[in-house]
């Protein structure tokens, strides 16, 4: 008999003990075409030195979740309508704007996919990296320049002292992403959110950036949230995965558990669609159909129009997050059958 996990990946740990605990987060966008239900009751936690991968297709709600945590949602049209975002036990949504900004600016940092558009093309990277030291610590120009060089060295940019005056377009894509990471690290955040940090890069550079992030995490003890659509990227670096679909977490598990045997048909589909070195031959399968409209979500399980395991009740009853094991949940009425099918 299945037990319900009252909320996603909830271990028997009080929220205050986690570095970050997101509870029942619900975000909607009020548009002319209707209300877009972008994030629908998402729960997860992150601890120090831990890497949580949030995985899903475009429009699954993963980036909106990150923006809500960072406080960079465009409001309007985006609104957080329910839930809590607890940093070391304190719900930042209940803080005064000024205190909220302090937590989000200094304790939680974020890097984005497109480093070129995130950097200002008319200022040197040294100026942009030194800005944190000037604004937050009142550093002089020469102190800020020294801080910028140190940051560039931390992210292993060669000849940092010579290149500190160069402009963003003078760096390669991989080096620009390193500069973004350096900028995010300037205030020694406890949490780094990396939103598709390697998508625009080629495979070798992707691996270097992931190694760099892992090394920095070892050095600083920060928690890392890695947002990606690519299951291949997270295999070596993440501790846990939360799989999102249509604004909900449909499966959460330790990485090796999900790779060994997914417990949700959507995770199973994602795994079947990536090449694996441990399984030679065989065909890569795409998940049929397309993600649903977030304005008009299907009744019952949102995945039912694409699901091979679907039964009659799936179109009627919304699946809660069932407890598969102590640290694993699946929002599928038939998760036992999915596990048994492998
Ligand atoms: Fe498929 Fe039903 Fe499970 Fe949804 S609840 S994933 S439709 S079997």
């Amino acid at each position: 008999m299945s037990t319900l996990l009252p909320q996603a990946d909830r271990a028997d740990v009080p929220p205050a003990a986690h570095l970050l605990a997101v509870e029942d987060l619900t975000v909607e966008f009020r548009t002319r075409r209707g209300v877009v239900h972008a994030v629908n009751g998402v729960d997860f936690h992150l601890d120090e030195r831990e890497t949580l991968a949030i995985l899903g297709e475009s429009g699954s709600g993963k980036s909106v979740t990150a923006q809500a945590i960072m406080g960079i949602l465009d409001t309007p049209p985006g609104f957080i309508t329910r839930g809590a975002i607890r940093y070391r036990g304190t719900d930042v949504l209940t803080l005064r704007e000024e205190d909220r900004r302090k937590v989000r600016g200094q304790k939680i940092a974020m890097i984005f996919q497109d480093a070129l558009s995130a950097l200002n093309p008319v200022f040197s990277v040294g100026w942009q990296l030194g800005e944190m030291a000037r604004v937050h610590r009142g550093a002089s120009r020469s102190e800020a320049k020294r801080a910028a060089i140190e940051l560039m060295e931390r992210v292993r940019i060669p000849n940092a002292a010579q290149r500190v005056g160069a402009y963003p377009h003078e760096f390669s894509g991989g080096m620009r992403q390193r500069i973004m990471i350096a900028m995010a690290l300037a205030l020694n955040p406890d949490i780094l959110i990396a939103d598709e940090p390697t998508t625009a890069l080629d495979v070798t550079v992707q691996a270097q950036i992931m190694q760099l992030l892992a090394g920095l995490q070892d050095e600083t003890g920060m928690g890392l949230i890695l947002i990606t659509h690519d299951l291949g990227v997270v295999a070596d670096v993440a501790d846990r995965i939360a799989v999102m679909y249509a604004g909900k977490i449909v499966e959460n598990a330790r990485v090796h558990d999900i790779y060994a045997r997914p417990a949700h048909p959507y995770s199973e589909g994602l795994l079947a669609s990536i090449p694996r070195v441990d399984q030679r031959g065989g065909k890569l399968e795409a998940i049929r159909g397309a993600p649903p409209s977030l304005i008009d979500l299907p009744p019952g399980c949102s995945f039912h129009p694409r699901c091979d395991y679907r039964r009659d009740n799936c179109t009627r009853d919304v699946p809660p997050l069932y407890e598969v094991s102590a640290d694993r949940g699946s929002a599928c009425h038939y998760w036992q059958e999915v596990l048994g099918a492998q």
Side-chain angles (χ1 to χ4, degrees):
M1 182 68 189
S2 301
T3 332
L4 294 188
L5 262 187
Q7 292 185 4
D9 82 348
R10 178 176 279 181
D12 286 335
V13 179
H18 293 302
L19 179 57
L20 180 76
V22 171
E23 298 166 8
D24 196 24
L25 182 68
T26 304
V27 181
E28 62 184 35
F29 290 86
R30 297 168 193 163
T31 71
R32 280 202 202 142
R33 287 177 49 229
V35 176
V36 177
H37 301 282
V39 178
N40 302 305
V42 157
D43 303 87
F44 60 83
H45 66 256
L46 177 76
D47 293 317
E48 282 171 18
R49 298 186 182 281
E50 187 178 41
T51 299
L52 170 72
I54 302 184
L55 185 87
E57 291 166 288
S58 305
S60 59
K62 54 192 193 312
S63 291
V64 176
T65 300
Q67 288 163 10
I69 295 170
M70 280 304 291
I72 53 171
L73 270 182
D74 273 341
T75 303
F79 294 89
I80 297 175
T81 55
R82 223 174 46 224
I85 297 169
R86 297 186 196 282
Y87 167 74
R88 297 192 184 278
T90 302
D91 182 3
V92 295
L93 299 177
T94 63
L95 295 176
R96 286 179 313 156
E97 185 54 35
E98 193 190 336
D99 297 329
R100 203 188 293 189
R101 237 183 291 128
K102 261 188 214 154
V103 171
R104 282 164 162 165
Q106 298 178 18
K107 304 297 182 190
I108 311 176
M110 186 161 172
I111 54 172
F112 301 90
Q113 179 184 140
D114 185 359
L116 189 56
S117 57
L119 291 166
N120 191 326
V122 300
F123 290 105
S124 70
V125 297
W127 179 265
Q128 295 180 64
L129 283 166
E131 191 170 9
M132 295 291 186
R134 288 193 303 277
V135 172
H136 291 274
R137 298 203 298 268
S140 67
R141 282 179 79 140
S142 60
E143 287 165 343
K145 185 176 170 188
R146 245 193 331 271
I149 294 170
E150 271 170 30
L151 281 169
M152 288 171 77
E153 285 170 345
R154 260 182 97 188
V155 296
R156 327 259 190 278
I157 293 179
N159 306 321
Q162 285 80 50
R163 305 191 74 189
V164 70
Y167 290 83
H169 72 271
E170 298 178 79
F171 290 85
S172 66
M175 286 296 153
R176 280 197 293 265
Q177 194 54 282
R178 284 172 191 262
I179 293 162
M180 282 298 299
I181 295 170
M183 212 174 264
L185 293 178
L187 295 176
N188 291 321
D190 288 342
I191 299 167
L192 179 64
I193 303 175
D195 189 358
E196 305 272 8
T198 60
T199 302
L201 306 173
D202 68 44
V203 179
T204 334
V205 183
Q206 272 185 12
Q208 290 165 358
I209 294 290
M210 293 316 301
Q211 271 169 14
L212 172 68
L213 285 172
L216 291 167
Q217 190 180 26
D218 278 349
E219 264 173 42
T220 63
M222 66 186 176
L224 178 63
I225 297 178
L226 188 59
I227 293 183
T228 180
H229 65 278
D230 185 349
L231 202 45
V233 166
V234 301
D236 295 331
V237 290
D239 299 299
R240 288 186 293 118
I241 296 187
V243 180
M244 282 191 81
Y245 187 79
K248 286 189 175 173
I249 291 179
V250 293
E251 179 168 5
N252 63 72
R254 301 244 137 226
V255 168
H256 50 80
D257 288 338
I258 219 165
Y259 270 83
R261 283 170 11 129
H264 191 282
Y266 180 59
S267 322
E268 187 185 51
L270 288 177
L271 269 172
S273 65
I274 57 162
R276 296 181 62 159
V277 285
D278 57 340
Q279 285 171 13
R280 290 184 172 262
K283 207 164 85 192
L284 293 180
E285 304 281 351
I287 304 173
R288 66 184 159 81
S293 156
L294 297 175
I295 292 181
D296 188 19
L297 285 166
C301 172
S302 299
F303 190 61
H304 82 247
R306 307 174 77 183
C307 184
D308 293 333
Y309 294 84
R310 180 180 72 202
R311 306 273 172 77
D312 287 350
N313 67 322
C314 296
T315 58
R316 194 181 58 232
D317 304 327
V318 177
L321 201 79
Y322 295 100
E323 182 177 341
V324 174
S325 60
D327 56 0
R328 185 169 194 186
S330 168
C332 173
H333 297 305
Y334 300 104
W335 64 265
Q336 281 124 325
E337 199 178 306
V338 183
L339 271 180
Q342 293 140 49

